Amino acid sequence: MNAQESTSTRPYLIRALYEWCTDNGFTPYVAVRVDDSVQVPREFVHDGEIVLNISFDATSSLQLGNDFIEFKARFGGKPRDILVPVGRVIAIYARENGQGMAFPPPVDSLVAAPSSSAVLAPVADVVESGSSVEDRVVQLVPAVDVGDDEPPKPTPGPAGGRPSLKRVK
């Protein structure tokens, strides 16, 4: 089996970063490029993208498979079944500090004109120029100066401490 025939690393990286987020008490978010294959509430899609909280507290029956991310969640109090093809995930990151990983956008989004909020626009330029896969990494948070020993602090929640999710039944 050569590199062309091997399975995608994307689902493995998504699962690894999900586990890293949960192990460190962070809230894992996925950014998804929406098309007809993505089953999400369309009223929450902005500029062809949606950001989903995939934490244990926000989802039920979460399955991070090789082909799909599936779960049940409430949007505006209404239960919804969510189905996202792994290839449509453009980023996974921790809400609290923005650390995570961006992926090259799906092929069809390279053809479309970039939106004003397209965080991954540089990736499209890299893909079109034929650069290597290693060059396709996009940073989600501003770079920290090399002289800084301390990472950027997350914004405190409403109580001034660490943000938390309150489950209302």
Side-chain angles (χ1 to χ4, degrees):
M1 181 182 288
N2 62 30
Q4 295 289 337
E5 298 170 357
S6 65
T7 58
S8 172
T9 58
R10 190 178 299 215
Y12 300 95
L13 294 169
I14 290 170
R15 285 191 291 268
L17 286 165
Y18 173 85
E19 187 174 334
W20 174 81
C21 284
T22 57
D23 286 353
N24 287 285
F26 297 138
T27 308
Y29 276 18
V30 291
V32 178
R33 174 73 69 182
V34 177
D35 71 354
D36 292 337
S37 68
V38 179
Q39 183 179 328
V40 294
R42 299 292 184 194
E43 61 269 24
F44 295 97
V45 175
H46 300 287
D47 295 327
E49 295 180 4
I50 189 169
V51 176
L52 301 167
N53 176 348
I54 58 169
S55 69
F56 178 77
D57 291 336
T59 64
S60 149
S61 305
L62 176 66
Q63 293 181 352
L64 299 172
N66 285 348
D67 297 318
F68 295 97
I69 296 174
E70 301 177 71
F71 59 93
K72 298 176 191 307
R74 292 188 170 269
F75 289 82
K78 298 169 82 175
R80 304 282 182 100
D81 290 326
I82 306 301
L83 180 71
V84 176
V86 169
R88 304 301 299 176
V89 175
I90 56 176
I92 180 168
Y93 60 95
R95 181 195 74 191
E96 291 79 3
N97 61 13
Q99 290 184 346
M101 178 178 281
F103 302 101
V107 175
D108 65 326
S109 64
L110 293 177
V111 177
S115 66
S116 61
S117 65
V119 175
L120 299 175
V123 172
D125 296 339
V126 170
V127 172
E128 289 173 2
S129 69
S131 298
S132 69
V133 173
E134 291 80 20
D135 295 334
R136 296 180 190 177
V137 176
V138 176
Q139 191 166 353
L140 293 175
V141 294
V144 178
D145 290 337
V146 177
D148 291 347
D149 292 337
E150 196 174 315
K153 300 284 186 208
T155 307
R162 187 169 173 200
S164 64
L165 178 66
K166 181 177 180 182
R167 183 175 255 180
V168 178
K169 294 186 178 186

